[in-house]
Amino acid sequence: MQDKIDHLRTLPIPAQSLFIGGAWQASRNGATMEVISPIDGTVLTTIADAGADDVDLAVAAARAAFEKGAWSKAAPAERKKILLRIADLIDKHALELAVLGVRDNGTEISMALKAEPGSAAGTFRYYAEAIDKVYGEIAPTAENVLGLIHRAPIGVVAAIVPWNFPMMIGAWKVAPALAAGNSVVLKPAEGASLTLLRLAELCAEAGLPEGVFNVVTGRGAVSGEALGLHMDIDVLAFTGSGPVGRRLLEYSARSNLKRVYLELGGKSPNVVFADAPSIDQAAKVSAYGIFRNSGQVCIAGSRLLVERSIHEEFSEKVAKIAAGMKLGDPLQLTTEAGAISSEIQLKKDLGFAEQALAEGATLRTGGERILQETGGFYMQPTVFDVTPDMTLAKEEAFGPILSVIPFNTEDDALRIANATEYGLASAVWTANLSRAHRMVRDIKAGVVHVNTYGGADNTVPLGGVKQSGNGHDKSLHALDKYVDLKTAWIQL
Ligand code: NAD
C-alpha cells in the first residue's frame, strides 16, 4: 500500500471550484485561496473563496431542489439506494481520498484511512439503512379523532465543519440530513476542503439529484457568516470552536431563527485510579488518546488526572510513550502522529507550551517544534505537570499537549474533572465496578469511557454538554435534528 500512497502524493491537484446546483462554478468574485500542505509547507492548489452571492446561489439551488421534490419526496427506499451508492464510491476511492485529505490537513495516514473515508462510508451506509425503518406515530387520542405525527424533511440544511476529520464529521451531518430528505449546503474549513469537494463529485456520480448537495469553500468570516445570516436556511449544523459557535447563535437570532446545532470543543478529563485493571495499558491508551492526530481531536483526553499514589510512575510511563512516538511524514504508514494542520495552529500550540512554562508548569517531555527543515508543521508530543488553576488545565489547546494533575480521592477526582466549562468526553480507569458507574453518572460530559479511550461507532451519539455544544451527531438520534414533527389532527 505504501507504493500506492507514494504515487498518489505526487499527483497534481487542479484548482478547485464551488459545487453548486450539480455543476462546478468559479466564485462570482473570482477570488481564490491557496491550499498549503502542512506536510512541507508547499502550495498544493487553490480553492474558491466564496462570497455572499455564491452562498445565495448555493442556497437557491438547494431550495429549488427541495421544492422540486426529486429527493425530498422520493420514497425512503429510493434515497437509501443512492446513499448506499455514495458509500460504495467512497470505499472504492478510499485510498485516494485518504491521501488527498492528508496532503490537505496532515493527519497520519494510518488513522486517516480509518477515520476519514472508512468512517464516512460507514456513516452513509448507517443512515441509508436506517431511513426506511423510521416510522411516523399515531397519537393516543380520544376515539373520535386521529392524531398522526409525521416526520417531514425540513428544507435546506447548512453544515459548517472544521479542518480535523472533515470527511468523518462532514458525513455525520450530511448523511442524516440527506437521508431525511433535505438539501444541504456544506462549508468545509479553509484548511480541509479537498476531500469534501471530491465527495460532492462522488454524490453526483451516485445519482444524487442536482442541487441536493452543494459545497461552498472559503473563509468562515465571509461564506460561513453568509450561511449563518441567510434567511432561507432552516437548520445550521456546526462543528468547530466555541467562539464561532457563539457567533452562529447570534446570526440565527439576527436572521430567521434557523435551528443551530453546535458541536464544540473540549478539555476532556481522563481519570486514572490506582486500581486500573492494567497500568501499562492505561498509560498506552491515554498517550494515544491525546497524541493521535497530534492532539487535533475534539474528544482528546487532554487533562490526565492521576491518583496520587501512582502519579509519578504513571506520568513517567505516559511521557516515555509520548517521547517514543514515531512522528513526521503523515503519508508513511508507520507514522504515529503527523503534522499540525497549519502554521497558525502550530504557533498557537507552541504559545500554549510557552505560557505553561511561564505559569510554572513542569515540562516532562516535548514542547518544541521539530522537523522544521521539511518546511512542514510538526510539534513534539508534550507532557506538562500543571495545577488546576493554570491556563493549560482550563483552555483547549487542540494540539499535542497533555496536562497532568494528581488527585487524592474519588471526590477530589470528580471535582477536578468537572471544573471546566466544557463537557464533551472523559474517561475513567478502574477495576471497581461501582466506582466506574458512579463516575459515569457524575462526570458531566457527553461520553464517559471506562477502561478505554475513544473508539465509538455510528450506533452511539456524540455530543457535548455545558459549553461543548447542544446537538448530537451519530446514531438514530441525529436524525431528529433534520426532521420537522408535523401533526395531522383528523376528526373522524
Ligand atoms: P473554527 O470554529 O475556527 O472553524 C470551524 C468552521 O467554522 C470552519 O469551516 C470555519 O471556516 C467556520 N467559521 C469560522 N468563522 C466563522 C464565522 N464567523 N461564521 C461562520 N463560520 C465560520 O474551528 P476549527 O479550528 O476549524 O476546528 C477546531 C475546533 O473544532 C476545536 O475547538 C475542536 O474541539 C472543535 N471540534 C469539535 C468536534 C465535536 O464533535 N464536538 C469535532 C471536531 C472539532
Side-chain angles (χ1 to χ4, degrees), residues 291 322 327 350 365-370 378-383 400-401:
F291 296 124
L327 311 177
L350 293 168
T365 187
E368 301 286 336
R369 180 176 186 174
I370 48 166
Y378 301 90
M379 180 173 170
Q380 293 170 321
T382 299
V383 180
I401 311 180

Side-chain angles (χ1 to χ4, degrees), residues 161-163 187 189-190 220 224 238-241 251 264-265 298 396 398:
V161 297
W163 43 259
K187 199 206 88 63
E190 294 83 329
F238 173 73
T239 294
S241 63
Y251 296 155
L264 307 176
C298 56
E396 182 189 44
F398 215 58

Side-chain angles (χ1 to χ4, degrees), residues 57-203:
L57 216 63
V59 176
R63 178 62 64 188
F66 185 77
E67 295 304 333
K68 197 168 157 200
W71 183 253
S72 56
K73 294 189 180 128
E78 291 304 311
R79 294 204 291 264
K80 166 180 174 167
K81 278 187 207 158
I82 291 182
L83 294 171
L84 286 175
R85 254 183 251 146
I86 296 172
D88 289 346
L89 284 170
I90 295 172
D91 275 343
K92 184 174 161 197
H93 295 281
L95 192 60
E96 165 210 326
L97 284 161
V99 172
L100 185 65
V102 171
R103 292 172 79 188
D104 204 1
N105 78 352
T107 298
E108 55 277 5
I109 185 77
S110 55
M111 176 164 211
L113 274 165
K114 280 185 244 148
E116 285 280 273
S119 154
T123 302
F124 272 94
R125 218 163 260 134
Y126 179 85
Y127 289 105
E129 293 292 355
I131 201 60
D132 61 352
K133 296 161 193 79
V134 178
Y135 290 74
E137 293 164 36
I138 299 177
T141 57
E143 225 183 70
N144 61 343
V145 284
L146 179 60
L148 300 181
I149 304 168
H150 295 274
R151 286 190 167 76
I154 302 174
V156 178
V157 172
I160 302 182
V161 297
W163 43 259
N164 65 325
F165 306 114
M167 281 205 85
M168 176 174 81
I169 293 173
W172 287 349
K173 298 178 193 314
V174 174
L178 290 181
N182 300 285
S183 297
V184 175
V185 179
L186 171 72
K187 199 206 88 63
E190 294 83 329
S193 298
L194 302 181
T195 52
L196 292 172
L197 288 164
R198 183 78 177 103
L199 176 66
E201 211 165 30
L202 298 180
C203 288

Side-chain angles (χ1 to χ4, degrees), residues 160-165 169 172-173 187-190 218-226 228 238-245 247-248 251 262-266 296-299 345 348 396 398 422 424 462-464 468 473:
I160 302 182
V161 297
W163 43 259
N164 65 325
F165 306 114
I169 293 173
W172 287 349
K173 298 178 193 314
K187 199 206 88 63
E190 294 83 329
R219 282 168 295 155
V222 181
S223 47
E225 178 172 295
F238 173 73
T239 294
S241 63
V244 175
R247 278 177 188 238
L248 296 179
Y251 296 155
L262 303 176
E263 293 293 332
L264 307 176
Q296 302 165 121
V297 179
C298 56
I299 62 162
Q345 185 62 38
K348 264 194 209 168
E396 182 189 44
F398 215 58
Y422 293 112
L424 188 56
L462 174 68
S468 285
D473 283 323

